[in-house]
Amino acid sequence: MIRAGHFAKGRVGALVRASKAVSVLPRGVRLYSYQARPDTSEKETIVKLLYNIGSKKEVEQYLRHFSSVESQKFAVIKVGGAVISDDLATLASALTFLTRVGLYPIVVHGAGPQLNKRLEAAKIEARYEDGIRITDGQTLAIAREVFASENRKLVEALERLGTRARPITGGVFVADYLNREKYDRVGKIYSVNREVVESSIRAGCLPILTSLAETPDGQILNVNADIAAGELARVLEPLKIVYLNEKNGLYHGTTGKRIETIHLDEEYEDLLKEPWVRYGTKLKLKEIKELLDTLPRSSSVAIISAEHLHKELFTHSGAGTLIMRGHRLFSKQDLAEVDSDRLRALLMEHDPSIASGETTAASYWQHLAALKKEGGRYWIYGDEPYQVAAVVMRKPGQNIAVVDKFVASKAAVLGNITDNAWKLITRDHPQLVWSVPRADDNLSWHFERADGSWAVGDNIVFWYGVEDWKQISELLTSKFNAQNTTSSSVPSGTRAYSTMARRTIARNSAPMGRRSYSTGSSSGSPLRVGLIGARGFTGRELIKLIDGHPRFELSYVSSRELAGKPVPNYTKAQLSHVNLSAQQVGDLAKAGRQAVDVWILALPNNVAAPFVAEINTATAQVSVDQQPIVVDLSADYRFDATGQWAYGLPELHRSELKTNMTGRIANPGCYATGSQLGLAPLLPYLDQSRLPSVFGVSGYSGAGTKPSPKNDPEFLRDNLIPYAPVNHIHEREIGHSLTRMSHPQHPFTTNNPIRVQFSPHVAPFFQGISLTLHVPLCQSMTAKDMLEVFREFYQNEKLVHVTESAPLVRDNAGKHYAVVGGFAVPPHSEGGLAELANRRAVLNVTLDNLLKGAATQAIQNMNIAVGIDEYTGIPTPDEPTMSPN
């Protein structure tokens, strides 16, 4: 679905410089919060993080949009009391994230659950009339305390993240009694003092408001926070009014699904007739309609959770429920019933064939008339201002309608009118087919609405409501025969989830054994890779590595949030992201290596299992030599005890990887990789009575793409964040895997495992890891002894370098190898505890957490599994990069 940021026409402002994708206030706009604006480099870093939730184009559009108005007109955000009590850290992070790109929302919060709890403790009954809290003197006194306390909590949470915030508990809302006899001290706002809010923004502080109001003579009155936020919005006319709740939107009472958009002009009356729209839901919709009716059409309401706020604001797809006024739509079955001049103008500007002069609107009118004369039908859809138009046609004898044209102005796309038009089209036509050029800017919109797709040449064919494969095959053939683009055909029995034209690759017959690939050479037929989970930083690095690999090529790149968007950094073919479910991956896996040779699961922990289960079930009857490789980058199978999964740290487990018959590989964690490389050579000298200690520092790319203090550059500035001080999953992984590789040479078993102490930290740099290891020894060693031990251990390894001096993160970032060095031992002490304490080795390890700690290691494992040279496609310099001492 294409979601709108609702670009405001006629607003003062200039476009953000796209090359930097940051907000820049133009001349003539008041420069609010200049004291706290983030610097350009910081904004660029934050914007790069935003690219992981949407395309660069989307992010830049919304940054331009939101920065095109004065700061106080960006957004009013209403925060429910439950959000503060249950999700304060997420809320603070989300608001901080906005300030880092120069956006300053105005926050109005409630405190209903907290007030009820305090009243209950004070044995005061909470009373309501018409859904409004009756507020007597005792209740109001407690309410003031509760509001002040919750306001302070939010302000302090923001300031802990380095975000300046100003608590505003009064002086903004002026009110009179709503009905003193009925509700007591409850107010009806009739005036808003905007200067209090604007002064906060000018000072570079987020204004954090309570919803308490005052009469002109100073009496405090209670006001519902939703109403207070609405009254503030009426005065400021912001682009966005956001209601934060824990449910992440409004949900359909019958289907249980989240409602993504509501266009009030088109849907409001019918929506109120729904049997599930009652009580609070009905009241909320009425209040929102009344509010938006008083605001410019550029304003919209979003109901969203704090966790997904950034996605709602910066992507077309959104995440919660978007409510806007929109425009009424029409459907006509005769050209004479529409304004042909306005329709022609829209087509001439936005339809490629007419805009380029390939054909004319008059010729198209003749085409429609001829279709009708032959017994066919056509439907023209549009909106009142002719910002969107679609033509659907059905030839005589056809059951499936064809969307022949679907054009929209930028205002319609960003105003989400296209989505409303699509609803009307699918209501009239249960089965549809259409084609879109690969280069279409809004390709993701089509993917999200289609039930299937197939790419042929420069176009992608989409279908909706069609489940019969015979029908789909006929559609594809008839659609493209005239264009001479029948280079691909639909395989029978397999659903076409592809977004690219697949090539049929001839395979040599497989000899008996695990794999039929050539060994020791990078030449041969391409090996197809399916990447599940491409949104994160590791997914991006994998795409780059596969793009430069002489044998691997991408067939599927799956991401739920990026579906339909072009795959960046891949030049071997034009690819777009798809969204494959576990079942769909299983369907493809039934064809074994004929569909995909290697599946990479680059998913969060505890998510891979359904995909693995579907692949295992689908390939149960497939011969061993034809089963696809599965490489899992999560921690889900690193502790496998069934023998099905090989642990993918080649320098320590190479023989296990080469003899593995299942093709299942658990890629190690980044910290675990570096720690084991630093500990393994010293296992013969390890004092089993004492624990090795690892102090780890990682760049904030290791904290993932979801906004949090651990990946917020401003919070990390001049800072170091410790986390998970005990029982970190990598702490367990280090001990578990070293115990496995040490047997039988060393006396470590599952009953006598190796244990380590691990202390992870996040630093202000983006990528890279630095580890300092303290290893207790059972005998004395010198630094020179250690250097020789490590050089001998890793003498034939191309992705582990041993140096005498301590390696630095900046030298290793962006490199595919790990570096071990900086060997030291404490001065010798004679006897007793001092001698024991000083009998230890100290060393340093650096590696790139995204490369040797993840993506590069995955490629290394894939090379081994398919029988080609282990280092194919991986740069392997003879010497590491080292800064001069």
Side-chain angles (χ1 to χ4, degrees), residues 514-533:
R514 177 68 187 96
R515 295 289 163 195
S516 62
Y517 307 109
S518 60
T519 59
S521 172
S522 62
S523 62
S525 57
L527 305 172
R528 289 171 289 191
V529 177
L531 173 58
I532 309 299

CSV table of all heavy atoms in Angstrom, one decimal, residues 514-533:
chain,number,residue,atom,x,y,z
A,514,ARG,N,27.4,-36.2,-1.7
A,514,ARG,CA,26.6,-35.0,-1.2
A,514,ARG,C,26.4,-34.0,-2.3
A,514,ARG,O,25.3,-33.5,-2.4
A,514,ARG,CB,27.4,-34.4,0.0
A,514,ARG,CG,26.8,-33.2,0.6
A,514,ARG,CD,25.4,-33.5,1.2
A,514,ARG,NE,24.7,-32.3,1.6
A,514,ARG,CZ,23.8,-31.7,0.9
A,514,ARG,NH1,23.5,-32.2,-0.3
A,514,ARG,NH2,23.2,-30.7,1.4
A,515,ARG,N,27.4,-33.6,-3.0
A,515,ARG,CA,27.3,-32.4,-3.9
A,515,ARG,C,27.9,-32.7,-5.3
A,515,ARG,O,28.8,-33.5,-5.4
A,515,ARG,CB,28.1,-31.2,-3.4
A,515,ARG,CG,27.4,-30.7,-2.1
A,515,ARG,CD,26.1,-30.0,-2.3
A,515,ARG,NE,25.3,-29.9,-1.1
A,515,ARG,CZ,24.1,-29.7,-1.0
A,515,ARG,NH1,23.3,-29.6,-2.1
A,515,ARG,NH2,23.4,-29.6,0.1
A,516,SER,N,27.4,-32.1,-6.3
A,516,SER,CA,27.8,-32.3,-7.7
A,516,SER,C,28.6,-31.2,-8.2
A,516,SER,O,28.8,-31.1,-9.4
A,516,SER,CB,26.6,-32.6,-8.6
A,516,SER,OG,25.8,-31.4,-8.6
A,517,TYR,N,29.0,-30.2,-7.4
A,517,TYR,CA,29.6,-29.0,-7.9
A,517,TYR,C,31.1,-29.3,-8.1
A,517,TYR,O,31.7,-30.1,-7.5
A,517,TYR,CB,29.5,-27.9,-6.9
A,517,TYR,CG,28.1,-27.6,-6.5
A,517,TYR,CD1,27.6,-27.9,-5.2
A,517,TYR,CD2,27.2,-27.1,-7.4
A,517,TYR,CE1,26.3,-27.7,-4.9
A,517,TYR,CE2,25.9,-26.8,-7.1
A,517,TYR,CZ,25.4,-27.1,-5.8
A,517,TYR,OH,24.1,-26.9,-5.5
A,518,SER,N,31.7,-28.5,-9.0
A,518,SER,CA,33.1,-28.7,-9.3
A,518,SER,C,33.9,-28.2,-8.1
A,518,SER,O,33.5,-27.3,-7.4
A,518,SER,CB,33.5,-27.9,-10.5
A,518,SER,OG,33.2,-26.5,-10.3
A,519,THR,N,35.1,-28.7,-7.9
A,519,THR,CA,35.9,-28.3,-6.7
A,519,THR,C,37.2,-27.7,-7.2
A,519,THR,O,37.7,-27.9,-8.2
A,519,THR,CB,36.3,-29.6,-5.9
A,519,THR,OG1,37.0,-30.5,-6.7
A,519,THR,CG2,35.0,-30.3,-5.3
A,520,GLY,N,37.6,-26.7,-6.3
A,520,GLY,CA,38.9,-26.1,-6.5
A,520,GLY,C,38.9,-25.1,-7.7
A,520,GLY,O,39.9,-24.6,-8.1
A,521,SER,N,37.7,-24.7,-8.2
A,521,SER,CA,37.7,-23.8,-9.3
A,521,SER,C,36.5,-22.9,-9.1
A,521,SER,O,35.4,-23.3,-8.7
A,521,SER,CB,37.6,-24.5,-10.6
A,521,SER,OG,37.4,-23.6,-11.7
A,522,SER,N,36.6,-21.7,-9.6
A,522,SER,CA,35.4,-20.8,-9.5
A,522,SER,C,34.6,-20.8,-10.8
A,522,SER,O,33.7,-20.1,-11.0
A,522,SER,CB,35.9,-19.3,-9.3
A,522,SER,OG,36.7,-18.9,-10.3
A,523,SER,N,35.1,-21.6,-11.8
A,523,SER,CA,34.3,-21.6,-13.1
A,523,SER,C,33.2,-22.6,-12.9
A,523,SER,O,33.3,-23.5,-12.1
A,523,SER,CB,35.3,-22.1,-14.2
A,523,SER,OG,35.8,-23.3,-13.9
A,524,GLY,N,32.2,-22.5,-13.7
A,524,GLY,CA,31.1,-23.5,-13.7
A,524,GLY,C,29.8,-22.7,-13.8
A,524,GLY,O,29.7,-21.5,-13.9
A,525,SER,N,28.7,-23.4,-13.7
A,525,SER,CA,27.3,-22.8,-13.9
A,525,SER,C,27.0,-22.0,-12.6
A,525,SER,O,27.5,-22.4,-11.5
A,525,SER,CB,26.3,-23.9,-14.1
A,525,SER,OG,26.3,-24.8,-13.0
A,526,PRO,N,26.2,-21.0,-12.7
A,526,PRO,CA,25.9,-20.2,-11.5
A,526,PRO,C,25.1,-21.0,-10.5
A,526,PRO,O,24.3,-21.9,-10.8
A,526,PRO,CB,25.0,-19.1,-12.1
A,526,PRO,CG,25.3,-19.0,-13.6
A,526,PRO,CD,25.6,-20.4,-14.0
A,527,LEU,N,25.3,-20.7,-9.2
A,527,LEU,CA,24.6,-21.3,-8.1
A,527,LEU,C,23.7,-20.3,-7.5
A,527,LEU,O,24.1,-19.2,-7.2
A,527,LEU,CB,25.7,-21.7,-7.0
A,527,LEU,CG,26.8,-22.6,-7.5
A,527,LEU,CD1,27.8,-22.8,-6.5
A,527,LEU,CD2,26.2,-23.9,-8.0
A,528,ARG,N,22.4,-20.6,-7.5
A,528,ARG,CA,21.4,-19.7,-7.2
A,528,ARG,C,21.1,-19.6,-5.6
A,528,ARG,O,21.1,-20.6,-5.0
A,528,ARG,CB,20.1,-20.0,-7.9
A,528,ARG,CG,20.2,-19.8,-9.4
A,528,ARG,CD,19.0,-20.3,-10.1
A,528,ARG,NE,19.0,-21.8,-10.2
A,528,ARG,CZ,18.2,-22.5,-11.0
A,528,ARG,NH1,17.3,-21.9,-11.7
A,528,ARG,NH2,18.4,-23.8,-11.0
A,529,VAL,N,21.0,-18.4,-5.2
A,529,VAL,CA,20.9,-18.1,-3.7
A,529,VAL,C,19.6,-17.4,-3.4
A,529,VAL,O,19.1,-16.5,-4.1
A,529,VAL,CB,22.1,-17.2,-3.2
A,529,VAL,CG1,21.9,-16.9,-1.8
A,529,VAL,CG2,23.4,-17.9,-3.5
A,530,GLY,N,18.9,-17.9,-2.4
A,530,GLY,CA,17.7,-17.2,-1.8
A,530,GLY,C,18.1,-16.6,-0.5
A,530,GLY,O,18.5,-17.3,0.4
A,531,LEU,N,17.9,-15.3,-0.4
A,531,LEU,CA,18.2,-14.6,0.9
A,531,LEU,C,17.0,-14.2,1.6
A,531,LEU,O,16.2,-13.4,1.0
A,531,LEU,CB,19.1,-13.4,0.5
A,531,LEU,CG,19.4,-12.4,1.7
A,531,LEU,CD1,20.1,-13.1,2.8
A,531,LEU,CD2,20.2,-11.2,1.2
A,532,ILE,N,16.7,-14.7,2.8
A,532,ILE,CA,15.5,-14.4,3.5
A,532,ILE,C,15.9,-13.5,4.7
A,532,ILE,O,16.7,-13.9,5.6
A,532,ILE,CB,14.9,-15.7,4.1
A,532,ILE,CG1,14.7,-16.7,3.0
A,532,ILE,CG2,13.6,-15.3,4.8
A,532,ILE,CD1,13.8,-16.3,1.9
A,533,GLY,N,15.5,-12.3,4.7
A,533,GLY,CA,15.8,-11.3,5.7
A,533,GLY,C,16.9,-10.3,5.2
A,533,GLY,O,18.0,-10.3,5.7
